Amino acid sequence: MSEVPHNNRVSRPPAMTDVARVAGVSTQTVSRVLRNHPYVTDDKRRRVLDAVEQLGYRMNTAAQALSSGRTRTIGVVSMATESYAGAMTQSSIERAADEADYSVVGAQISTLDVDAILSALRRLEKLGSEAIILAVPLRAQDRRIEEITKRVPTVTIGGSPVRTARSLAVDQREVARLATEHLLSLGHCTVWHIAGPNDWVDAVERTAGWRDVLTDAGLTVPPMIHGDWDPESGYQAGRWLADRSDVTAVFVASDEMAFGLIRALHESGRRVPEDVSVVGVDDVRLAAYCTPALTTIAQPFAELGRAAVASVMSRLDEREDPTLNLVVRPKLIVRSSTARKRA
Amino acid sequence: MSEVPHNNRVSRPPAMTDVARVAGVSTQTVSRVLRNHPYVTDDKRRRVLDAVEQLGYRMNTAAQALSSGRTRTIGVVSMATESYAGAMTQSSIERAADEADYSVVGAQISTLDVDAILSALRRLEKLGSEAIILAVPLRAQDRRIEEITKRVPTVTIGGSPVRTARSLAVDQREVARLATEHLLSLGHCTVWHIAGPNDWVDAVERTAGWRDVLTDAGLTVPPMIHGDWDPESGYQAGRWLADRSDVTAVFVASDEMAFGLIRALHESGRRVPEDVSVVGVDDVRLAAYCTPALTTIAQPFAELGRAAVASVMSRLDEREDPTLNLVVRPKLIVRSSTARKRA
DNA sequence: ACGTCGTATGGCATCGATAACATACGGCAG
DNA sequence: CTGCCGTATGTTATCGATGCCATACGACGT
């Protein structure tokens, strides 16, 4: 052995050989103890554990990954984690992974296109992610993406189903249906809609659900307005809607835009819910506390994140996927931003 | 060489030797090309790159980490990333790290105590994090934590300064001062305070700042109420405050609690801002769009996250820390929840 | 008494990349 | 013409852990 190790670190943290030497066993036995393999006597097991304790030894993840081919890491591709839904999902994924003793590496994309997603996926694959959770609202399917998801077990959350991946999502048409039917049931003649951006599946699905309900009921479908999820865009939409006295019910694709809308209506002297009923989506934490308290559709983000982790875990362990029959239902929460249409 | 590699994978992804063989050079040359080392002729460089392209080769991170001792990974310990502040910080860190071509592994803790933080830190260290960003509002100092931060470059965000780590934070006393002085300047006789939990530094600092301003002005310090950051706790506090007619100005330690408070006041028939002025902290996205639009103290979370990354990066590269003279200032944003005290 | 089996343990090659060292070559100063 | 130096490239040991195989030992059935 030369004086200086090739990577030039002078004093290195204890390695398995150190533990083995102190415990008077082979590295192989140390390895077995640490991974709870059978065929180790209690005596040696104890000596190894003592040595580990004494040296403050912790296993080198890189070496383990290289040798075993397993990284105990899952990758998460996401977008807009600073939004309520994004943050909730991300955070529940991390907690669930943590419980399974897996680490999470994130790859955030800032633009919603195939190239961005691809580069994120490639990065995660290179890092050796054993599984990937794809939590982007991508609509397009892409062959190159599917190639990667064929190699590494993938679950998509809320994105369009990649053919080769398991897909978990709240049914966004159902979300729209709940909202729209709630408004119709209050006697409104039709329901207006402030949609999210067209490249988000969720947005498109909500729009479709909204349109379906109206069409099925034989009602006219009012022109749709597009927002960008930001409250400001809801506000702008509201400025425009406030002038039209025939607007009495609006389904807004997100709570944040909904509050923007309500503010605009308020400023124009149209009261919510007396003059206009508003339903949002997400049930953000402030929904119940702003005025008026917002009627909205809650989505089980945390459950979705947990389910995503459970699903990929089951695939890694070659167990049956516990989420196969899982149905995550959106839920209408009626508060004070909706009311029966005035005569 | 045996037929089956020891880790039992049948067809492995291309390794550097494969690239070397195809390009007709040694692995060393491949390595040099990939890391832009000098002393490689253009001819070979091209052949290597071609081979890389042809094989779809990507370097094995685990092997690289093991061999070089560098993981290009930074760890982030955080709490409550589903809150606005947490999500913003986390997300800005990831973006900044990404630009430096570093990956981020997160370690979320669910309880705010030294043991939780320690185990998170240990996990990150074991994963080989080259640097750690400690974004928890821990108050206590702890020797075991400092031991780790001595080994791996650490920046704390918004936590109490660990002696061995660089600390970045918005001055929370200043936050409180801005809020309290704003309210006093509107003619209020004193300012009430809904604080955050006592184990959060930020909360304690805000309380201290609030108390200082009142004391310096020779005013009586009203009893303080503790919340838990959740809007509901602001609401509960509001139920209690609403009965006291001498309450005309409240500084709330977070926007979410502030909206809870406002709702409670509203329900009790006390108007904001006519009867009671309210200032929050954070400037959440909805602050400007709920009614009344909330006067609040904005904090530059994104800037803080970027600065944290810049700081640890500079230490890894042994450059001068660009954030040494960085001052991140909170900013008062006056909206409609505060008004001059009525005569 | 002896082969067999299950338990317990160690030796060695290996994963994929990098650092350190060795080597080969061409140009240029003396 | 020789020796030295900078460029260009290959060889080998190494990082730290694991898989596979060999081996050793005691118990047990025959």
Side-chain angles (χ1 to χ4, degrees):
Chain A
M1 199 194 296
S2 74
E3 288 298 314
V4 173
H6 84 294
N7 59 10
N8 195 24
R9 273 173 299 161
V10 271
S11 100
R12 53 168 178 69
M16 208 177 252
T17 52
D18 301 315
V19 177
R21 182 160 23 76
V22 170
V25 298
S26 72
T27 61
Q28 204 40 236
T29 301
V30 176
S31 178
R32 289 201 181 95
V33 170
L34 266 50
R35 284 178 300 151
N36 283 320
H37 269 212
Y39 303 159
V40 182
T41 49
D42 286 346
D43 169 51
K44 303 220 166 180
R45 183 181 305 275
R46 149 155 284 117
R47 273 158 59 196
V48 167
L49 292 176
D50 284 350
V52 165
E53 182 72 22
Q54 178 195 327
L55 295 172
Y57 168 76
R58 257 156 302 144
M59 209 166 54
N60 180 315
T61 319
Q64 186 180 35
L66 177 59
S67 179
S68 70
R70 304 203 54 172
T71 55
R72 295 198 80 77
T73 285
I74 71 183
V76 178
V77 184
S78 59
M79 172 157 196
T81 49
E82 57 268 33
S83 75
Y84 176 74
M88 289 298 285
T89 309
Q90 181 83 17
S91 149
S92 67
I93 288 175
E94 289 198 14
R95 279 193 220 290
D98 196 75
E99 272 170 32
D101 201 28
Y102 266 67
S103 301
V104 172
V105 276
Q108 294 209 27
I109 60 177
S110 37
T111 59
L112 191 57
D113 56 76
V114 172
D115 286 337
I117 295 175
L118 261 176
S119 98
L121 285 175
R122 282 204 253 262
R123 204 156 65 81
L124 293 179
E125 193 186 11
K126 185 167 105 177
L127 285 172
S129 308
E130 291 184 32
I132 288 177
I133 297 178
L134 190 57
V136 289
L138 169 79
R139 280 176 67 198
Q141 300 199 340
D142 186 276
R143 168 180 301 274
R144 289 166 301 171
I145 289 180
E146 292 191 352
E147 245 166 54
I148 295 181
T149 62
K150 225 178 301 176
R151 282 195 295 264
V152 21
T154 302
V155 173
T156 65
I157 293 188
S160 77
V162 178
R163 275 194 306 273
T164 47
R166 164 123 178 77
S167 184
L168 282 170
V170 176
D171 183 347
Q172 297 298 334
R173 291 189 188 233
E174 170 85 357
V175 166
R177 198 180 57 71
L178 286 173
T180 312
E181 286 180 349
H182 168 63
L183 288 168
L184 290 181
S185 77
L186 290 171
H188 296 279
C189 307
T190 192
V191 174
W192 292 64
H193 179 43
I194 302 179
N198 247 335
D199 40 7
W200 289 61
V201 234
D202 299 16
V204 176
E205 290 288 304
R206 281 172 206 164
T207 299
W210 159 75
R211 196 190 310 271
D212 284 354
V213 171
L214 292 184
T215 311
D216 288 355
L219 300 171
T220 59
V221 178
M224 175 177 64
I225 308 172
H226 273 286
D228 61 2
W229 301 129
D230 202 86
E232 177 64 21
S233 67
Y235 179 79
Q236 295 301 338
R239 303 277 293 222
W240 188 79
L241 285 174
D243 294 335
R244 315 182 113 267
S245 60
D246 57 331
V247 175
T248 69
V250 186
F251 163 46
V252 189
S254 83
D255 284 357
E256 301 215 327
M257 292 195 296
F259 279 113
L261 166 69
I262 289 173
R263 158 148 295 259
L265 293 173
H266 183 76
E267 286 178 3
S268 306
R270 304 204 64 193
R271 290 163 305 164
V272 176
E274 290 84 353
D275 301 324
V276 182
S277 285
V278 175
V279 177
V281 177
D282 274 354
D283 193 26
V284 299
R285 288 187 353 159
L286 281 180
Y289 295 93
C290 287
T291 305
L294 189 66
T295 295
T296 187
I297 313 291
Q299 304 190 71
F301 297 117
E303 191 180 351
L304 222 52
R306 278 197 305 275
V309 173
S311 176
V312 290
M313 285 301 157
S314 72
R315 254 204 283 174
L316 291 179
D317 300 346
E318 290 174 330
R319 297 193 324 266
E320 196 189 349
D321 190 333
T323 70
L324 273 182
N325 298 309
L326 178 74
V327 183
V328 276
R329 291 214 157 282
K331 196 170 139 204
L332 171 68
I333 296 181
V334 180
R335 296 207 182 92
S336 318
S337 65
T338 51
R340 180 152 290 280
K341 191 194 176 192
R342 305 168 84 200
Chain B
M1 200 193 295
S2 73
E3 289 296 314
V4 172
H6 84 294
N7 58 9
N8 196 24
R9 272 172 301 163
V10 272
S11 101
R12 53 169 179 66
M16 208 175 252
T17 51
D18 300 314
V19 177
R21 181 162 21 79
V22 170
V25 299
S26 72
T27 60
Q28 199 45 231
T29 302
V30 177
S31 177
R32 290 201 181 95
V33 169
L34 266 51
R35 286 178 301 149
N36 283 321
H37 269 211
Y39 303 160
V40 182
T41 50
D42 286 347
D43 169 50
K44 304 222 165 181
R45 183 182 305 274
R46 151 156 282 118
R47 274 157 60 196
V48 167
L49 292 176
D50 284 351
V52 165
E53 182 72 23
Q54 178 194 328
L55 296 173
Y57 168 78
R58 258 156 301 143
M59 207 166 55
N60 180 316
T61 319
Q64 186 179 37
L66 178 60
S67 180
S68 69
R70 303 204 54 174
T71 55
R72 295 198 80 77
T73 284
I74 72 183
V76 179
V77 185
S78 59
M79 172 158 198
T81 49
E82 59 268 33
S83 74
Y84 176 74
M88 290 297 287
T89 310
Q90 181 83 17
S91 151
S92 68
I93 289 174
E94 289 198 14
R95 279 194 220 289
D98 196 75
E99 273 171 32
D101 201 29
Y102 266 67
S103 302
V104 172
V105 277
Q108 295 208 25
I109 61 177
S110 38
T111 58
L112 191 57
D113 56 76
V114 171
D115 286 337
I117 295 175
L118 261 175
S119 99
L121 285 175
R122 282 203 254 263
R123 204 157 65 82
L124 293 179
E125 194 186 12
K126 185 167 106 178
L127 285 171
S129 308
E130 291 183 30
I132 288 178
I133 296 178
L134 190 56
V136 289
L138 170 79
R139 280 176 68 199
Q141 300 199 341
D142 186 275
R143 170 181 301 272
R144 290 167 299 170
I145 291 181
E146 293 191 350
E147 245 164 54
I148 296 181
T149 62
K150 225 177 299 176
R151 281 195 295 265
V152 20
T154 302
V155 173
T156 65
I157 294 188
S160 77
V162 179
R163 273 194 307 271
T164 49
R166 164 122 176 78
S167 184
L168 282 170
V170 176
D171 182 346
Q172 297 299 334
R173 292 190 186 232
E174 169 86 357
V175 166
R177 196 180 59 71
L178 285 174
T180 311
E181 287 181 351
H182 168 63
L183 288 168
L184 290 180
S185 77
L186 291 170
H188 295 279
C189 306
T190 192
V191 174
W192 292 63
H193 178 44
I194 301 179
N198 246 336
D199 41 6
W200 289 61
V201 233
D202 299 15
V204 176
E205 290 287 306
R206 282 172 205 165
T207 299
W210 160 75
R211 194 188 312 270
D212 284 354
V213 171
L214 292 185
T215 309
D216 288 355
L219 300 171
T220 60
V221 178
M224 173 177 65
I225 307 172
H226 274 286
D228 62 3
W229 300 129
D230 202 86
E232 177 64 21
S233 67
Y235 179 78
Q236 294 301 340
R239 303 276 293 221
W240 188 80
L241 286 174
D243 294 337
R244 317 182 112 267
S245 60
D246 57 332
V247 175
T248 67
V250 186
F251 162 47
V252 190
S254 83
D255 284 357
E256 301 214 326
M257 293 195 295
F259 278 113
L261 165 69
I262 290 173
R263 158 148 296 259
L265 293 174
H266 183 77
E267 286 178 3
S268 305
R270 305 205 63 192
R271 292 163 303 165
V272 176
E274 291 83 352
D275 302 324
V276 182
S277 285
V278 175
V279 177
V281 177
D282 274 354
D283 194 26
V284 299
R285 285 181 1 151
L286 282 180
Y289 295 93
C290 286
T291 306
L294 190 66
T295 295
T296 187
I297 313 292
Q299 305 189 68
F301 297 117
E303 191 180 349
L304 222 50
R306 277 197 306 274
V309 173
S311 176
V312 289
M313 284 302 157
S314 73
R315 251 200 288 171
L316 292 179
D317 300 348
E318 291 174 328
R319 296 194 324 267
E320 196 189 347
D321 190 332
T323 71
L324 274 181
N325 299 309
L326 177 74
V327 183
V328 276
R329 290 215 157 281
K331 196 171 139 202
L332 170 69
I333 297 181
V334 180
R335 296 207 182 92
S336 319
S337 65
T338 50
R340 179 151 291 280
K341 190 192 176 191
R342 305 169 82 200

